[in-house]
């Protein structure tokens, strides 16, 4: 099937609200028709949301940059004891969040490294303190990797940790830590991070507890197009099961200040 015929085939499926296959997704990645794809994507978006676009005003808080994972794509983390490492006290977190009460923020977005010295109580007290100070704001905090670390360190299940965080006032989880689900990619770039199966399990568990989450994909490094499609399909399967993902966020890899500066920066 020629490219023009293939795009027409996809257009017919889009108009019929039929699901695309992984094979079709892979060919779309290779199709030289960005304007055609954009037109079709806009058609689906308008079917779902009309002519409305949505945004949030949020305040980011990175409570620690200390992390034991050592991901090669990271330009943020420091190893325990390494110069430049820092962890906020709870008072510092509360101070950083304080302007949200008056600057129009609707969300606190809180992520950090995997710091082995921080106990579960630090996280619970952080969420509870923020909820007390900001009773109506969305508190979206801690990636699936952070939740899994807390569960392992506390000898609890992921679900038990999530339930405690929810009871303290957690609203949602951000989607970080997914990277690319491919085992090959994770062994090359982040072998110490939780597996793709664990990330998906934490996300599904959060959804079952009524905690919505985001989903992400870090693209533009060593992954193949096939691995991107596999990642998207696995997210779609999880969404079919739980419906708990609020949005999908594609994150282009920025090689600056990482261990992978030889990689050319990707495009949208």
């Amino acid at each position: 099937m020629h490219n023009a015929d293939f795009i027409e085939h996809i257009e017919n499926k889009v108009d019929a609200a039929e699901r695309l296959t992984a094979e079709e997704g892979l060919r779309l990645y290779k199709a030289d028709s960005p304007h055609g794809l954009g037109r079709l994507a806009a058609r689906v978006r308008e079917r779902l949301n009309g002519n409305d676009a949505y945004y949030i005003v949020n305040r980011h808080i990175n409570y620690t940059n200390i992390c034991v994972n050592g991901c090669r794509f990271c330009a943020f983390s420091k190893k325990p004891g390494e110069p430049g490492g820092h962890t906020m006290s709870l008072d510092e977190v509360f101070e950083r969040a304080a302007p949200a009460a008056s600057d129009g923020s609707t969300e606190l977005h809180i992520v950090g490294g995997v710091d082995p010295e921080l106990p579960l109580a630090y996280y619970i007290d952080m969420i509870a303190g923020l909820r007390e100070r900001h009773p109506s704001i969305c508190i979206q905090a801690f990636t699936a990797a952070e939740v899994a670390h807390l569960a392992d360190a506390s000898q609890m299940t992921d679900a038990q940790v999530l339930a405690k965080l929810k009871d303290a006032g957690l609203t949602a989880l951000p989607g970080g830590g997914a990277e690319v689900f491919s085992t090959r990619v994770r062994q090359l770039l982040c072998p110490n991070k939780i597996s793709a199966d664990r990330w998906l399990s934490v996300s599904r568990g959060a959804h079952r507890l009524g905690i919505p989450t985001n989903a992400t994909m870090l693209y533009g490094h060593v992954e193949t197009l096939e691995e991107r499609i596999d990642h998207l399909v696995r997210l779609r399967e999880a969404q079919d099961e739980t419906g708990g993902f609020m949005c999908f966020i594609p994150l282009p890899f920025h090689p600056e200040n990482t261990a992978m500066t030889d990689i050319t920066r990707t495009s949208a």
Side-chain angles (χ1 to χ4, degrees):
M1 190 183 300
H2 294 296
N3 190 55
D5 294 333
F6 174 69
I7 295 298
E8 183 179 359
H9 163 73
I10 295 298
E11 186 169 3
N12 290 335
K13 294 192 74 170
V14 167
D15 288 340
E18 294 179 6
R19 172 162 288 183
L20 304 189
T21 67
E23 292 74 20
E24 288 168 335
L26 181 60
R27 182 159 179 184
L28 283 176
Y29 254 125
K30 299 177 180 179
D32 185 19
S33 183
H35 296 295
L37 292 179
R39 185 182 70 251
L40 294 178
R43 196 175 300 177
V44 174
R45 187 190 67 80
E46 289 172 0
R47 181 191 301 155
L48 295 171
N49 301 309
N51 197 34
D52 296 327
Y54 298 86
Y55 69 95
I56 57 171
V57 179
N58 64 6
R59 176 164 291 272
H60 279 235
I61 300 174
N62 301 122
Y63 61 93
T64 184
N65 66 349
I66 296 173
C67 188
V68 296
N69 281 338
C71 302
R72 296 188 64 231
F73 51 73
C74 185
F76 166 74
S77 68
K78 300 293 183 181
K79 296 177 182 177
E82 185 178 356
H86 72 269
T87 296
M88 292 183 183
S89 68
L90 292 181
D91 285 342
E92 288 174 323
V93 172
F94 301 150
E95 181 179 358
R96 185 67 61 88
S102 58
D103 69 3
S105 295
T106 57
E107 174 189 281
L108 295 173
H109 186 102
I110 305 170
V111 294
V114 173
D115 184 347
E117 298 301 318
L118 291 178
L120 178 59
Y122 171 89
Y123 297 81
I124 300 297
D125 292 346
M126 180 196 301
I127 299 300
L130 290 170
R131 177 55 66 215
E132 180 181 2
R133 290 164 173 80
H134 306 277
S136 62
I137 203 166
C138 170
I139 302 177
Q140 184 172 143
F142 315 135
T143 66
E146 291 165 270
V147 170
H149 162 71
L150 288 174
D152 292 344
S154 305
Q155 296 185 321
M156 301 170 67
T157 66
D158 297 336
Q160 287 172 326
V161 169
L162 287 165
K164 285 184 174 294
L165 290 170
K166 182 180 180 182
D167 288 345
L170 180 72
T171 310
L173 298 185
E179 320 313 355
V180 174
F181 288 150
S182 162
T183 300
R184 180 191 73 86
V185 170
R186 297 179 90 82
Q187 284 298 315
L188 286 172
L189 302 187
C190 51
N192 298 321
K193 182 165 279 183
I194 61 171
S195 68
D197 286 343
R198 183 82 180 273
W199 188 95
L200 287 164
S201 176
V202 172
S203 298
R204 286 186 171 101
H207 301 166
R208 285 191 289 268
L209 288 170
I211 304 171
T213 75
N214 290 340
T216 62
M217 178 176 70
L218 179 70
Y219 72 94
H221 38 83
V222 301
E223 85 286 355
T224 64
L225 296 184
E226 289 82 359
E227 287 165 335
R228 291 184 190 177
I229 292 295
D230 173 70
H231 185 99
L232 294 172
V233 167
R234 293 177 72 177
L235 286 176
R236 185 170 72 175
E237 290 171 349
Q239 183 72 339
D240 284 344
E241 180 183 329
T242 68
F245 289 124
M246 296 181 290
C247 67
F248 169 70
I249 306 165
L251 301 169
F253 171 57
H254 295 178
E256 296 86 356
N257 302 310
T258 73
M260 302 168 65
T261 54
D262 57 319
I263 292 180
T264 301
R265 188 164 177 167
T266 189
S267 72

